[in-house]
Amino acid sequence: MDIDENKINSINKCISPVYEDGIEDILSKYNITATTDLAQSVQDSEISFICVGTPPNPDGSQDMGYIKSAAKDLSNALHSTVTRNYVPLDIGKNMPYGHTVVVKSTVVPGTTENIVIPALEEHGKKAGKDFGVCMNPEFLKEGTAVADFMNPDRIVIGEYNKESGDVLAELYKDFKCPILRTDLKTAEMIKYASNAFLATKISFMNEIGNICKALGIDVYDVARGMGYDGRIGNKFLNAGIGFGGSCFPKDVNALVAKSKDIGYEPEILEHVLKLNDEQPLRIVSLLKKHIPTLKGSTVGVLGLSFKPDTDDIRESRAIPIVNALLKEGASIKAYDPKAMDNFRKLFPQVGYVAPEDVLSSDAVLILTEWKEFDELDYKGKTVIDGRRIIRAKKEADVYEGICW
Ligand code: UGA
């Protein structure tokens, strides 16, 4: 159920409103019906997942507007529908409630208890008595969301009471991964701690990379040597121009805001964010080593999305870099396999061209590690690489990696 009719119509035609590998196959293969009618969808189902956005306020804290209104609408629907006492489906055999509401949105600890449940109870029905409540964080990555969903590392079930948790445990019973059951706010915190840790891992490697660069060491060789240590692990050690996307920056900011709210100064997390703001600008400094005056020059940009295999440019590191280049008076020619339309809305003054045309610029910056960038001809070019494209490293006439 969604309030956006365009999305509903698109999903009902098996066309995904977002680019995500494998999602349209799923829409066609399974009988997924989208609707704008919440009462009907509550009536026809046993579980509702609240998946609305929790965008940031200007101070970094979360805007709870969507989550509140989703919970209020659900309260209304729960009140006006005759929820079923048993359901003739596999998962319904031991169903303790006619309906269970699950918070999937990323919300700071305490939200389900203090904001969602009171809103759900607004029309008189009681959590734990008339309906179940869980908090079930998502750990999907954009671009591999379907595969991540099918093969999760773990499933966390935050439960209001045991009966509520039993509903989700039944739903997920075929997944072959650890299933953890916690209280609601622990589940909320597991999500923040996971994202904050991953963001910290990236900023940490960027810091090590900046030191390596100054010492003439390749941070990727260092990362390989570190990754064999099982306590460290070999994933998420890729140094570069920093993390973007709709999750890490927003979630770390929200955790910082929540910590301050309770009187704690989260120093590590603040530095993770500070480093991530500074990191993309280092590529502009490196460029200026080779072209000291950017005014009047043409800079090529390969990659605009916040990471490969998505058209998403939210918090993309390309945004502060393109801003800085424009401020210095450079002309920009850019290419991205999927994200040019989105980027054009923010930066209409940039030229959007074919990759070969980008390569004809005075210098080329690589900002996203799309696979196809490994097939371009970098011979004779000046390349400043923020994401480690091996072919550019091997071929470019002048090559500079951000942390190597
Ligand atoms: C992230 C988490 O990885 C998911 O587990 C989580 O569910 C999701 O946020 C969320 O909260 O919804 P996502 O934002 O899709 O997923 O993308 P990631 O693959 O984590 O990449 C985030 C950013 O970190 C990208 O800009 C990427 O380029 C950067 N990154 C990642 C690095 O700079 N180095 C790395 O080693 C890994």
Side-chain angles (χ1 to χ4, degrees):
M1 180 275 161
D2 200 287
I3 53 170
D4 183 340
E5 290 210 14
N6 290 333
K7 280 187 191 164
I8 295 303
N9 293 337
S10 167
I11 290 168
N12 284 333
K13 286 187 214 135
C14 301
I15 299 167
S16 169
V18 293
Y19 172 77
E20 188 64 51
D21 191 30
I23 194 83
E24 289 186 350
D25 296 343
I26 291 193
L27 289 177
S28 329
K29 190 168 166 199
Y30 301 98
N31 189 16
I32 294 173
T33 316
T35 175
T36 50
D37 186 344
L38 180 61
Q40 191 64 46
S41 65
V42 168
Q43 173 78 59
D44 290 347
S45 61
E46 292 79 52
I47 304 174
S48 290
F49 284 86
I50 300 182
C51 307
V52 296
T54 46
N57 289 317
D59 67 352
S61 66
Q62 278 189 319
D63 174 352
M64 294 297 182
Y66 297 119
I67 201 114
K68 264 190 207 155
S69 83
K72 282 180 180 204
D73 292 349
L74 269 168
S75 171
N76 205 3
L78 285 168
H79 181 72
S80 62
T81 55
V82 186
T83 48
R84 292 172 279 181
N85 290 328
Y86 79 96
V87 189
L89 291 175
D90 271 6
I91 66 162
K93 294 232 173 83
N94 305 312
M95 197 66 95
Y97 299 110
H99 207 83
T100 297
V101 177
V102 183
V103 176
K104 191 60 141 168
S105 305
T106 297
V107 290
V108 289
T111 305
T112 306
E113 226 161 309
N114 303 327
I115 293 180
V116 177
I117 291 180
L120 287 172
E121 291 180 334
E122 226 166 59
H123 286 86
K125 293 208 170 169
K126 289 279 165 225
K129 181 171 161 276
D130 303 311
F131 58 91
V133 178
C134 288
M135 198 285 149
N136 174 218
E138 63 88 11
F139 302 107
L140 314 180
K141 298 185 291 303
E142 280 188 45
T144 55
V146 173
D148 290 348
F149 179 83
M150 296 300 185
N151 301 296
D153 291 329
R154 80 305 208 179
I155 291 171
V156 176
I157 298 176
E159 56 198 35
Y160 177 72
N161 56 352
K162 182 180 174 304
E163 289 76 15
S164 299
D166 287 347
V167 175
L168 273 194
E170 183 70 14
L171 178 68
Y172 287 124
K173 70 172 188 294
D174 292 332
F175 283 86
K176 308 265 174 285
C177 68
I179 295 186
L180 278 82
R181 294 178 64 163
T182 68
D183 63 15
L184 296 169
K185 59 177 187 253
T186 305
E188 292 165 335
M189 192 53 157
I190 288 173
K191 168 69 186 188
Y192 278 94
S194 301
N195 271 6
F197 184 80
L198 291 169
T200 304
K201 209 170 174 186
I202 297 168
S203 272
F204 176 83
M205 283 315 291
N206 287 340
E207 178 140 89
I208 296 292
N210 295 341
I211 301 169
C212 283
K213 174 88 184 165
L215 295 174
I217 298 166
D218 185 337
V219 71
Y220 275 68
D221 291 339
V222 175
R224 255 210 331 277
M226 292 163 66
Y228 284 111
D229 187 325
R231 293 167 302 175
I232 297 174
N234 60 10
K235 295 193 182 125
F236 268 69
L237 295 179
N238 296 334
I241 48 173
F243 54 82
S246 66
C247 305
F248 288 166
K250 172 176 81 77
D251 292 351
V252 181
N253 267 304
L255 190 53
V256 166
K258 182 72 190 174
S259 310
K260 290 187 168 177
D261 200 35
I262 54 168
Y264 179 79
E265 253 333 290
E267 291 183 27
I268 292 182
L269 299 180
E270 287 192 311
H271 277 271
V272 165
L273 291 170
K274 181 170 178 278
L275 214 121
N276 200 51
D277 285 342
E278 292 163 1
Q279 196 68 6
L281 301 176
R282 295 179 70 88
I283 206 165
V284 180
S285 311
L286 285 175
L287 171 67
K288 286 169 80 174
K289 254 172 65 184
H290 301 278
I291 308 179
T293 312
L294 291 176
K295 198 171 165 53
S297 69
T298 302
V299 179
V301 170
L302 287 174
L304 302 169
S305 56
F306 83 95
K307 68 173 190 178
D309 303 319
T310 175
D311 61 354
D312 196 341
I313 59 161
R314 284 176 290 175
E315 296 287 333
S316 168
R317 301 295 82 192
I319 296 171
I321 293 169
V322 165
N323 259 328
L325 294 174
L326 290 172
K327 220 166 143 196
E328 298 258 356
S331 299
I332 301 177
K333 293 205 274 190
Y335 170 76
D336 187 283
K338 293 271 181 235
M340 290 198 284
D341 285 347
N342 285 337
F343 214 79
R344 189 181 280 118
K345 289 176 202 150
L346 276 188
F347 293 102
Q349 66 275 57
V350 166
Y352 297 92
V353 298
E356 295 71 25
D357 211 357
V358 169
L359 288 170
S360 69
S361 312
D362 298 321
V364 176
L365 307 183
I366 303 179
L367 305 187
T368 317
E369 66 277 33
W370 284 93
K371 265 207 187 76
E372 65 177 72
F373 295 164
D374 231 336
E375 273 138 43
L376 298 174
D377 182 357
Y378 295 95
K379 286 194 245 10
K381 312 294 178 198
T382 296
V383 176
I384 319 293
D385 190 355
R387 294 294 186 188
R388 184 89 163 188
I389 296 293
I390 296 300
R391 176 132 179 208
K393 186 169 186 279
K394 280 191 189 140
E395 275 186 10
D397 198 24
V398 177
Y399 178 86
E400 187 100 53
I402 183 160
C403 296
W404 52 91

